Amino acid sequence: MPLSLGLDASTQSFSALVIDTDRGETVAEASVNFGKVLPQYGAPQGFMAGGAEGEVHADPCMWVDAFELLMEALGEACDLADIRAISGAGQQHGSVYLNDSWFDVIGTLRPCESLSEQLAPCLSRPTSPIWMDTSTGEECREIAQALGGAQRVCDKSGSVPIERFTGPQIRRFYKQDPEAYAATARIHLVSSFLCSVLCGADAPIDRGDGAGMNLLDIHRWEWDEHLLRATAPDLHPKLPSVVPGATVAGTVSNYFVKRFGFTAGTPVTVFSGDNPSSLVGMGASRPGKVVISLGTSDTFFAAMPEIVSDPQGCGHVFGNPMGGSMSLQCFINGSLAREAVRDRFGYDWDQFTQALEATPPGNNGQLMVPFFRPEISPRLTLDAPLLAGSEDFLNWKNADAAIRACVEGQFMNMKLRSDWMQVRPEVIYLTGGASRDTGLAQVVADIFQAQVERLAVSSSVAMGAAMRASVNSRGADLGMLEKTFCRPVESGTVNPAVDADAYAEPLREFTALLDSVAS
């Protein structure tokens, strides 16, 4: 069986998924939870809590220890010698700092010793800042000022300076410990670091993950010298090269051949970030398909027909691992806002769905800006939602109308905030716990005027990596893989029940209400 392996190094765990593309089957899965299996690192949720000034770090040695444990577990579920293509993904924005011994050590890893024992001496910084780190507000302002404003950074890199992004994190490291920064010969992302470990060679960074650094010019897909100079001195030689997502970074190293039984010469497609990989794993890597992930925060991401940046600086542009670019926008007030309205009336989720089904599109003019906490899309600080409508509605005496107003407000805001992407969705893939709500799915279909499909894909990051490996190394057809591994759940398709005119006036009124908050 010629198998393909996809890897996912997320915040709390390291997971693997193996697919047989000929049979259309997932043949093996395994996962290592950092906190449960590696308690010695003091990271019960995958990171070290309580850092100064919002610092959130993790130990790279924990990741490579988990890598070994994961391969042992996977080897019990399938024959690793049958794997013919590999790729992976890592949590975006996190960075690993290595001294000049790295280049010799990575190519001469000894199977009789653990990875962490051999790689720990290569670290010029013992821990890695990850995407949850918020300590770099000052550095973000400094980078923006050096470039002539945050929007200028966004125009170049696809995002305004963001605290969790790698560039501001590098600048903070340079300012706090210039000697350790000077001793740093290579700065890797989590994805490129782990790809290097698997290949036994210094791996490049793909465009998908590289665009999450505030360092890459998204129009030329090259490191931007102005952004590099604004970040830290002599930064360019410390960074790997940037390559398209279809690049084969190398072959599986002798360490993994000897220790775990992989076949020598197995190609490894360059790793990407978790969000770009999930785009592929959800079957949405081509323009016309949109993914809305419903969780604590809601996320909207899609392949873009052309490269544009958000003029409001709220959204992000990354490279699409299958070519071109992708957009991503996060909405803080996701499931917690829906739960807040539900709980206010003592409803359960079945009653929540019934409320959506019992109320008309447009909600008879009753509107809500459903922000229960500070929002980032758009950037507004509210501690309670803003309402417009009848007296009963304003006084929270109409439960069904309040529930519809919350959901309509979320997705009208999402539509307005995503218009900059110039994406016209033919189909929207809905995922996450709330995607099971038929009433909510109908609201999405009506507002976006697109077919909604609720997908049964689990482990979309690892699945995307396995699919990429199959396409790039084995010549598999992407369309066939999508049909096989990215199927909607039974009765999961929802079509618009109203035409575009039904939400024309509500969208105008919602925009006016939102503008009144901003002003």
Side-chain angles (χ1 to χ4, degrees):
M1 289 191 299
L3 308 178
S4 296
L5 166 63
L7 299 166
D8 172 17
S10 67
T11 308
Q12 299 189 46
S13 61
F14 203 154
S15 304
L17 179 149
V18 179
I19 61 174
D20 181 337
T21 56
D22 291 346
R23 297 185 180 183
E25 298 174 349
T26 298
V27 299
E29 294 185 68
S31 186
V32 172
N33 181 280
F34 300 133
K36 292 179 180 178
V37 180
L38 298 165
Q40 65 268 33
Y41 285 101
Q45 294 178 298
F47 55 88
M48 294 173 283
E53 301 177 329
E55 286 187 349
V56 181
H57 286 214
D59 191 329
C61 290
M62 177 180 71
W63 297 331
V64 296
D65 278 351
F67 204 165
E68 293 186 81
L69 294 172
L70 180 64
M71 293 301 97
E72 290 174 0
L74 192 65
E76 295 177 359
C78 69
D79 187 347
L80 301 184
D82 289 335
I83 291 172
R84 294 291 181 267
I86 308 173
S87 191
Q91 53 175 298
Q92 285 198 264
H93 317 305
S95 44
V96 183
Y97 300 77
L98 302 146
N99 58 41
D100 58 6
S101 69
W102 158 259
F103 300 102
D104 291 328
V105 171
I106 193 60
T108 56
L109 294 170
R110 297 177 294 277
C112 58
E113 299 178 34
S114 73
L115 290 172
S116 58
E117 288 175 328
Q118 297 177 76
L119 294 175
C122 300
L123 296 170
S124 60
R125 188 182 193 183
T127 59
S128 296
I130 65 169
W131 65 273
M132 300 171 70
D133 193 299
T134 59
S135 66
T136 62
E138 179 179 313
E139 288 71 26
C140 288
R141 291 188 290 274
E142 291 169 348
I143 292 169
Q145 183 176 11
L147 267 290
Q151 190 57 45
R152 180 61 177 154
V153 178
C154 185
D155 292 341
K156 283 176 168 286
S157 73
S159 304
V160 298
I162 301 289
E163 287 83 354
R164 67 182 181 274
F165 276 35
T166 320
Q169 294 292 339
I170 292 171
R171 179 163 182 78
R172 180 176 170 85
F173 177 49
Y174 157 69
K175 289 167 59 180
Q176 289 193 328
D177 196 343
E179 290 185 4
Y181 174 79
T184 299
R186 176 65 83 225
I187 301 173
H188 271 295
L189 295 176
V190 176
S191 62
S192 59
F193 170 67
L194 294 172
C195 185
S196 300
V197 172
L198 181 60
C199 293
D202 189 59
I205 289 174
D206 96 304
R207 294 172 177 176
D209 216 7
M213 300 174 73
N214 281 143
L215 296 174
L216 189 68
D217 183 328
I218 61 170
H219 304 282
R220 297 182 296 119
W221 298 115
E222 298 174 355
W223 300 123
D224 184 275
E225 292 298 334
H226 296 95
L227 291 169
L228 297 182
R229 286 197 296 270
T231 299
D234 304 316
L235 180 53
H236 200 158
K238 299 179 190 293
L239 298 173
S241 60
V242 181
V243 298
T247 302
V248 174
T251 58
V252 67
S253 74
N254 186 62
Y255 183 94
F256 284 82
V257 172
K258 296 294 186 183
R259 183 153 186 175
F260 301 110
F262 283 92
T263 298
T266 302
V268 178
T269 295
V270 64
F271 285 22
S272 190
D274 53 2
N275 288 306
S277 187
S278 184
L279 181 82
V280 180
M282 294 291 292
S285 62
R286 289 173 288 188
K289 301 177 180 180
V290 166
V291 176
I292 297 177
S293 177
L294 303 173
T296 304
S297 297
D298 293 339
T299 306
F300 180 107
F301 54 102
M304 300 175 74
E306 58 184 68
I307 297 173
V308 290
S309 57
D310 184 0
Q312 302 301 316
C314 299
H316 310 292
V317 178
F318 303 136
N320 180 342
M322 303 310 294
S325 61
M326 65 168 287
S327 54
L328 181 146
Q329 192 136 1
C330 185
F331 300 83
I332 293 295
N333 286 273
S335 67
L336 294 182
R338 293 185 286 274
E339 290 168 10
V341 176
R342 179 203 64 176
D343 293 346
R344 184 162 191 145
F345 298 102
Y347 276 24
D348 59 25
W349 285 119
D350 287 340
Q351 291 170 304
F352 188 94
T353 300
Q354 291 165 10
L356 292 171
E357 294 172 346
T359 46
N363 206 26
N364 296 319
Q366 323 267 27
L367 296 171
M368 181 188 297
V369 176
F371 300 166
F372 289 77
R373 57 169 66 183
E375 181 55 64
I376 60 173
S377 296
R379 289 186 172 85
L380 286 177
T381 300
L382 292 178
D383 55 10
L386 186 66
L387 301 127
S390 68
E391 184 175 347
D392 279 354
F393 177 73
L394 295 176
N395 291 318
W396 293 91
K397 293 182 178 179
N398 188 332
D400 289 3
I403 287 170
R404 175 167 278 276
C406 173
V407 174
E408 287 189 339
Q410 288 182 315
F411 292 106
M412 285 194 290
N413 181 55
M414 187 177 287
K415 185 179 190 312
L416 292 167
R417 299 280 78 76
S418 61
D419 278 350
W420 67 270
M421 301 175 188
Q422 300 178 15
V423 172
R424 299 294 175 263
E426 301 163 7
V427 61
I428 294 174
Y429 294 141
L430 212 57
T431 185
S435 66
R436 294 187 293 270
D437 188 320
T438 302
L440 184 147
Q442 187 64 64
V443 172
V444 175
D446 291 344
I447 288 175
F448 283 91
Q449 287 294 292
Q451 183 183 84
V452 169
E453 292 187 358
R454 289 168 286 173
L455 296 190
V457 176
S458 61
S459 307
S460 63
V461 175
M463 178 62 76
M467 289 167 63
R468 291 177 57 232
S470 300
V471 172
N472 296 330
S473 298
R474 298 190 55 236
D477 180 81
L478 178 61
M480 290 302 298
L481 294 180
E482 290 174 345
K483 291 178 181 178
T484 302
F485 293 103
C486 309
R487 296 186 297 269
V489 298
E490 186 177 353
S491 303
T493 300
V494 179
N495 292 299
V498 296
D499 61 26
D501 290 342
Y503 277 98
E505 186 60 26
L507 281 164
R508 283 192 290 269
E509 292 178 355
F510 182 84
T511 300
L513 187 60
L514 204 55
D515 289 345
S516 73
V517 179
S519 62

